[in-house]
Amino acid sequence: MVSLSSLLSKHVSHLARHQYDVIVVGGGHAGTEAGAAAARVGAETLLVTQKIHTIGALSCNPSLGGVGKGQLVKEVDALDGLCGRAGDWAGIHFSILNRRKGPAVWGPRAQLDRQRYREFIQSELLSTPRLTVLEGSVEELLITEPNPEEPGHHRVTGIRLANGSHSISARSVVLTTGTFLSGSLFVGQTTSPGGRIGDAPSSAGLSHMMREKLGLRIGRLRTGTPPRIVKDSVDLSLAKLHPPDSHPTPFSFLNTHTRCKPEEQLPCHLTFTTPGVERVVRESLHLNCHIQQDTKGPRYCPSIESRVLRFPGRNHQVWLEPEGVTSDLLYPQGLSMTMPPDMQLRLIREIPPMHRAEIHMPGYGVQYDFVCPTQLSPALQVKSTQGLFLAGQINGTTGYEEAAAQGLWAGVNAARWALSMPTVALSRTESYIGVLIDDLVSRGVTEPYRMFTSRAEFRTHLRPDNADLRLTLKGFEEVGCVSSLRHQETLRVRNSLQDALTALQALTLSTANWKKKLPGIPISETKSTLMTGIDLLQYSDVTFEMLASAFPESLSPYVKFSQRLKIEAVYKPHCDLNKKEIERIQREENMSLPQDIDYFSLPVSLSQEVREILDKVRPSTLGAATRLEGITPAAVVNLLNYVRITEKNKETHRNQQPQKEREEELCANSASLPQ
């Protein structure tokens, strides 16, 4: 990595210009991916953050990936994002979750060294061409009249920094404010403004402006973090040891190994709460204003107070996770809490391994504003404000991975908008990022949104192993955010896999001959049909290495892809069955619904309830409309007919153009062609 000190002095000394293509506000997981992606697309980009030294900080848990989340990390990496490579650099405990299930729902995960992760992200960002980083706090957005040729009521033209500082112009702005948008911190009965302990509160101007000037619907969510425990004060012999995988699996498709060697990895430990924990929670409820409020918190990562109140009498899991190779702290995953610090100490000492534990920093809660995401397009652009994009917790999500995925896509589209290129969308049929964004903009959120594999209809196709084949080529050829180096590597891998599958398909033998080649394989004697190598690889007891040993001339060149080929073979029948359904959804998603359509006067048979839903959400495509709660199948059919008739009328109108107009148009098009 490049020296951070030299990079910092280069980027922080002064602002070299006051006009940028893209401005990104925020230096968290969404902001860093947005800034890097915008710059990769070719936009002159400015990232504004309160403290450069906190860029890439892991505000809560020191980990990356997991079930559903690991798929997002792999996809961000496939699109040349940062977090996968950062995870490989900073990881100190790698594991694949869900191994007992099929590879489609495996969850790549890693415990991270906080300092290493932050250093990697900062080094990458500060050495990215066309990207400048500035310390500062944004007071408000600069807004003007919209471009009449584009949908929207406003147009963003830049930002104004706090404390009366100067304005900075840009064609597009990405807001990635995390928990800092009108954030409030809670510990016991104490409340203070802020989005993270140790950082200054953000300006309240942004939230006010979005609500009052832009007319956006704003909601309120909450989250929390556990106390940090002094490692030497914990008796880990009283907890269950959980070692990492013996062979770490990298997140990034560019990496064949992780920085941390297998033998250098650190273990995690598992313990459980006791009845004493529940007693302390109940005794402290009257001292805990955060837990008493109605603001929605994360369902899938709740505080210990919420877990005890929701599931009384249970012993809840607590994972004791290392925070770094040289760190003297432990992170007690599962013990997020907001009670007073003295009660927190009482609570953790009710858990056997921590009966003498000391707290380095108490847990706390955060409440913050978010923008209802149904007001966004699939490009993550605010529908009513041209050039304004949102990503991360401001859209109602929770988690590093969800933030990074949104940040990358918002950064891509902000850059394309600024450079007068059309914005792009990802389908839920081709990526978990597409599922995430479609869920947000089509359905909205009532609680912090977390990704799960169950949210994806085509998860046997959207696997962690094939994210590069699904997204990297598109990222290079259509989106413009992928380097030629990664593109060439993906082409090499794709061609090798195709050659290997062709070779496997060409190996066609009778069951009797297969049994001769591979004795002991449980192939039914009653099978009379011929079987290919792909058919045989679908058997759980058959590995690609076994086939390569039997047919070395045709298969041995592809042994390095053995696991990927095995997975491809296993899921081939499922993917073949899904193909027609995927094509249907993609056709629906290609049918656009005009953003200025008046649903209340639309000459189509729709109930008043359906019209109200469509008017409120304003789905961008027919496919998005089909997934709205309350939209009936009959309404979908009527909308489909309307779209088809409208497109047919447009085509008829084009065909009825006067001959002279068509000739002039043809001449104009010909004149633009190279001679």
Side-chain angles (χ1 to χ4, degrees):
M1 291 192 305
V2 183
S3 167
L4 278 180
S5 57
S6 62
L7 290 172
L8 283 170
S9 62
K10 169 189 167 186
H11 278 79
V12 189
S13 56
H14 64 282
L15 194 61
R17 56 196 295 168
H18 297 281
Q19 169 74 47
Y20 289 85
D21 297 319
V22 177
I23 295 175
V24 178
V25 181
H29 296 271
T32 53
E33 294 290 355
R40 291 199 304 276
V41 172
E44 288 294 336
T45 305
L46 174 69
L47 188 150
V48 183
T49 183
Q50 290 195 34
K51 292 181 183 178
I52 288 184
H53 287 284
T54 61
I55 287 176
L58 300 165
S59 300
C60 197
N61 54 311
S63 64
L64 188 71
V67 179
K69 290 172 172 283
Q71 279 82 344
L72 287 174
V73 176
K74 298 287 284 189
E75 291 184 356
V76 168
D77 178 72
L79 291 166
D80 233 353
L82 307 176
C83 64
R85 289 180 291 119
D88 292 344
W89 177 264
I92 54 177
H93 174 117
F94 291 85
S95 59
I96 301 293
L97 307 184
N98 249 9
R99 270 200 190 270
R100 293 180 182 178
K101 298 184 179 180
V105 294
W106 285 355
R109 186 181 187 275
Q111 290 297 133
L112 305 174
D113 184 300
R114 290 185 186 273
Q115 183 177 343
R116 287 182 181 178
Y117 190 87
R118 187 173 64 248
E119 288 175 352
F120 183 94
I121 293 292
Q122 290 178 14
S123 177
E124 285 288 313
L125 270 191
L126 296 175
S127 58
T128 297
R130 294 183 294 277
L131 178 61
T132 302
V133 181
L134 174 71
E135 281 189 345
S137 181
V138 176
E139 176 70 32
E140 63 176 320
L141 300 173
L142 302 180
I143 301 294
T144 189
E145 292 298 311
N147 178 349
E149 297 179 359
E150 299 284 348
H153 307 305
H154 316 277
R155 178 167 60 92
V156 70
T157 60
I159 61 169
R160 179 172 289 111
L161 298 176
N163 303 322
S165 299
H166 54 265
S167 302
I168 307 173
S169 300
R171 295 203 62 197
S172 60
V173 174
V174 186
L175 294 183
T176 67
T177 50
T179 58
F180 284 85
L181 192 64
S182 295
S184 298
L185 303 175
F186 293 80
V187 181
Q189 295 179 300
T190 303
T191 305
S192 59
R196 179 172 57 202
I197 276 188
D199 289 317
S202 62
S203 167
L206 273 181
S207 188
H208 176 80
M209 182 174 196
M210 287 193 290
R211 181 185 283 109
E212 301 302 326
K213 288 192 177 181
L214 302 184
L216 297 177
R217 297 190 306 278
I218 306 292
R220 194 86 171 153
L221 293 173
R222 72 181 182 193
T223 188
T225 191
R228 308 306 193 261
I229 310 299
V230 177
K231 185 177 181 180
D232 289 343
S233 68
V234 179
D235 186 353
L236 293 175
S237 67
L238 299 178
K240 183 179 179 182
L241 178 73
H242 273 258
D245 289 350
S246 56
H247 298 289
T249 302
F251 287 111
S252 178
F253 290 98
L254 294 182
N255 291 334
T256 57
H257 59 276
T258 62
R259 179 193 181 190
C260 186
K261 297 177 182 177
E263 65 275 11
E264 295 173 346
Q265 295 184 93
L266 301 179
C268 293
H269 293 80
L270 175 64
T271 185
F272 293 87
T273 61
T274 64
V277 168
E278 183 168 338
R279 184 175 64 252
V280 174
V281 167
R282 295 190 181 279
E283 289 177 2
S284 64
L285 285 178
H286 67 290
L287 302 172
N288 194 335
C289 60
H290 185 67
I291 201 67
Q292 295 170 9
Q293 299 189 13
D294 294 331
T295 306
K296 284 292 184 81
R299 177 191 297 264
Y300 304 105
C301 185
S303 66
I304 188 60
E305 295 100 330
S306 298
R307 295 165 81 188
V308 162
L309 295 175
R310 192 175 175 192
F311 304 108
R314 292 191 186 180
N315 294 330
H316 301 281
Q317 285 188 347
V318 177
W319 289 94
L320 301 175
E321 301 172 342
E323 296 218 340
V325 174
T326 60
S327 174
D328 58 357
L329 300 179
L330 289 176
Y331 181 90
Q333 175 84 342
L335 286 184
S336 172
M337 61 181 81
T338 56
M339 62 185 67
D342 60 323
M343 301 300 286
Q344 293 189 28
L345 185 61
R346 273 188 58 195
L347 185 146
I348 66 169
R349 288 185 172 180
E350 292 290 342
I351 301 172
M354 295 188 282
H355 66 285
R356 294 179 179 172
E358 296 294 337
I359 292 179
H360 173 74
M361 183 186 78
Y364 61 93
V366 189
Q367 292 188 15
Y368 55 96
D369 283 353
F370 79 102
V371 175
C372 301
T374 53
Q375 300 166 104
L376 307 180
S377 74
L380 294 178
Q381 183 176 19
V382 176
K383 294 175 183 177
S384 64
T385 306
Q386 298 168 3
L388 179 60
F389 298 79
L390 310 182
Q393 285 175 289
I394 193 174
N395 291 339
T397 60
T398 181
Y400 304 148
E401 303 82 2
E402 291 84 350
Q406 293 171 74
L408 183 145
W409 206 243
V412 159
N413 279 306
R416 292 179 66 86
W417 173 273
L419 299 174
S420 301
M421 295 188 287
T423 58
V424 286
L426 281 173
S427 166
R428 64 187 299 121
T429 64
E430 64 183 336
S431 66
Y432 273 87
I433 300 176
V435 172
L436 165 67
I437 294 174
D438 185 61
D439 282 351
L440 293 175
V441 304
S442 297
R443 301 171 184 173
V445 299
T446 56
E447 60 189 21
Y449 178 102
R450 183 214 193 274
M451 178 53 69
F452 287 104
T453 54
S454 59
R455 296 190 189 272
E457 302 91 326
F458 304 108
R459 51 190 171 275
T460 57
H461 172 59
L462 308 182
R463 307 187 306 271
D465 66 279
N466 68 0
D468 55 342
L469 302 184
R470 289 186 281 113
L471 296 176
T472 300
L473 303 184
K474 177 172 183 169
F476 180 82
E477 296 162 4
E478 300 177 30
V479 180
C481 65
V482 170
S483 69
S484 58
L485 173 68
R486 184 182 289 268
H487 178 243
Q488 289 301 316
E489 173 61 15
T490 304
L491 284 177
R492 184 189 69 81
V493 170
R494 184 196 66 178
N495 294 339
S496 296
L497 289 173
Q498 288 178 345
D499 291 346
L501 291 170
T502 300
L504 285 167
Q505 189 68 31
L507 294 173
T508 305
L509 302 174
S510 66
T511 54
N513 285 333
W514 275 118
K515 289 181 79 69
K516 289 178 184 177
K517 283 283 186 180
L518 299 169
I521 298 302
I523 305 174
S524 172
E525 296 284 354
T526 59
K527 270 188 176 285
S528 57
T529 58
L530 296 174
M531 296 180 68
T532 68
I534 292 178
D535 295 329
L536 207 68
L537 203 51
Q538 290 167 9
Y539 282 71
S540 59
D541 297 329
V542 178
T543 66
F544 183 82
E545 288 88 349
M546 293 166 63
L547 294 177
S549 65
F551 301 94
E553 288 188 7
S554 58
L555 298 183
S556 59
Y558 311 111
V559 170
K560 66 165 69 173
F561 302 108
S562 58
Q563 186 181 61
R564 293 190 67 162
L565 290 166
K566 172 72 175 179
I567 295 172
E568 286 285 344
V570 166
Y571 284 108
K572 186 177 185 300
H574 301 272
C575 293
D576 290 345
L577 286 174
N578 286 339
K579 191 173 182 181
K580 286 187 178 179
E581 183 66 11
I582 289 174
E583 290 172 351
R584 180 189 68 80
I585 290 178
Q586 288 175 342
R587 284 196 301 272
E588 290 177 349
E589 289 179 338
N590 287 331
M591 293 183 178
S592 298
L593 295 174
Q595 286 303 292
D596 57 354
I597 191 171
D598 184 354
Y599 286 104
F600 293 106
S601 63
L602 201 65
V604 177
S605 178
L606 298 173
S607 70
Q608 184 66 18
E609 179 188 5
V610 167
R611 291 177 189 272
E612 289 174 359
I613 294 170
L614 292 170
D615 182 69
K616 179 180 179 181
V617 178
R618 300 205 156 268
S620 301
T621 65
L622 181 67
T626 65
R627 292 184 285 276
L628 294 178
E629 188 174 348
I631 300 297
T632 63
V636 171
V637 171
N638 290 332
L639 269 178
L640 173 61
N641 290 334
Y642 170 78
V643 171
R644 285 176 172 169
I645 291 170
T646 302
E647 290 182 349
K648 185 177 180 180
N649 290 340
K650 288 180 180 177
E651 184 64 29
T652 301
H653 176 73
R654 281 194 295 268
N655 292 336
Q656 291 175 347
Q657 273 184 294
Q659 179 68 23
K660 186 176 181 180
E661 282 185 28
R662 288 205 300 271
E663 289 175 357
E664 288 175 354
E665 184 178 331
L666 182 62
C667 290
N669 290 339
S670 300
S672 65
L673 295 174
Q675 300 299 311

